[in-house]
Amino acid sequence: MRLTTKGRYAVTAMLDLAFHSQKIPVTLTEVATRQTISLSYLEQLFARLRRAGMVKGVRGPGGGYKLAGKASDISIAAIIAAVDEQIDATKCGGEANCQKQQACLTHDLWMGLSEQIREYLRGITLADLLEKHEVQEVARRQELEAQHIIEIHRQTGVNVYPD
């Protein structure tokens, strides 16, 4: 299965945003701090997520990012697709050229698995994940662990919203 860090980080960042931006916008520095993801990598991901209409930027003091819509309308599969990530369990990328430019013996098996994974991820939204007790606990723990660093960024007025 080829789900790289790009897709995983995009989902993680979007879930963090969904959890923390319910009242105020969230800066990418805050997300990066809580999730230990490179700020420059997050900026690249959020440029794609913004183009896909999943997030919106809020400028000015106290600015940052918010979800562009309801968490219940954003599926995990849509987030992965927004960052140009493919959900594919085949060796050939679904091209059916896995063995001597033709489908291999197990091509249909892996294509079916890929479709099952896509369907599964289409059926899960950010809101579904936000309702999970375990997700809420982890988000609170991360907030506490990162709170000091985030406060320093807020007090210094660092705004990492990319233009």
Side-chain angles (χ1 to χ4, degrees):
M1 162 106 164
R2 281 185 248 159
L3 182 59
T4 65
T5 54
K6 183 170 40 171
R8 292 176 194 276
Y9 283 177
V11 171
T12 299
M14 286 290 286
L15 186 55
D16 182 284
L17 187 70
F19 188 84
H20 293 284
S21 72
Q22 294 175 24
K23 294 180 182 148
I24 60 170
V26 173
T27 68
L28 291 185
T29 300
E30 293 169 357
V31 177
T33 302
R34 280 189 294 268
Q35 302 308 323
T36 60
I37 300 172
S38 157
L39 179 59
S40 62
Y41 198 65
L42 276 178
E43 288 170 344
Q44 294 171 31
L45 292 176
F46 269 69
R48 291 175 184 214
L49 293 165
R50 193 173 58 235
R51 279 193 299 272
M54 294 189 164
V55 298
K56 62 182 176 182
V58 177
R59 295 183 180 275
Y65 281 98
K66 296 184 88 159
L67 295 179
K70 295 186 288 186
S72 59
D73 293 336
I74 302 173
S75 75
I76 303 308
I79 296 168
I80 293 168
V83 295
D84 297 325
E85 185 78 16
Q86 300 298 314
I87 300 167
D88 180 22
T90 66
K91 184 169 108 178
C92 62
E95 297 293 320
N97 61 358
C98 19
Q99 187 177 40
K100 298 180 183 177
Q101 298 304 311
Q102 295 181 9
C104 68
L105 190 61
T106 55
H107 180 78
D108 288 340
L109 171 69
W110 304 128
M111 286 296 292
L113 176 60
S114 297
E115 186 53 34
Q116 290 293 315
I117 294 168
R118 280 191 289 276
E119 279 303 310
Y120 174 73
L121 295 176
R122 279 185 203 119
I124 300 172
T125 66
L126 287 174
D128 296 331
L129 295 176
L130 286 174
E131 291 175 5
K132 291 186 174 287
H133 178 71
E134 298 83 10
V135 169
Q136 293 172 16
E137 294 229 346
V138 170
R140 286 187 194 103
R141 175 183 48 82
Q142 290 173 335
E143 177 69 22
L144 288 173
E145 290 172 356
Q147 197 168 19
H148 178 70
I149 296 168
I150 290 170
E151 272 307 308
I152 291 169
H153 287 287
R154 284 184 184 154
Q155 289 172 1
T156 59
V158 174
N159 185 358
V160 294
Y161 172 71
D163 292 330

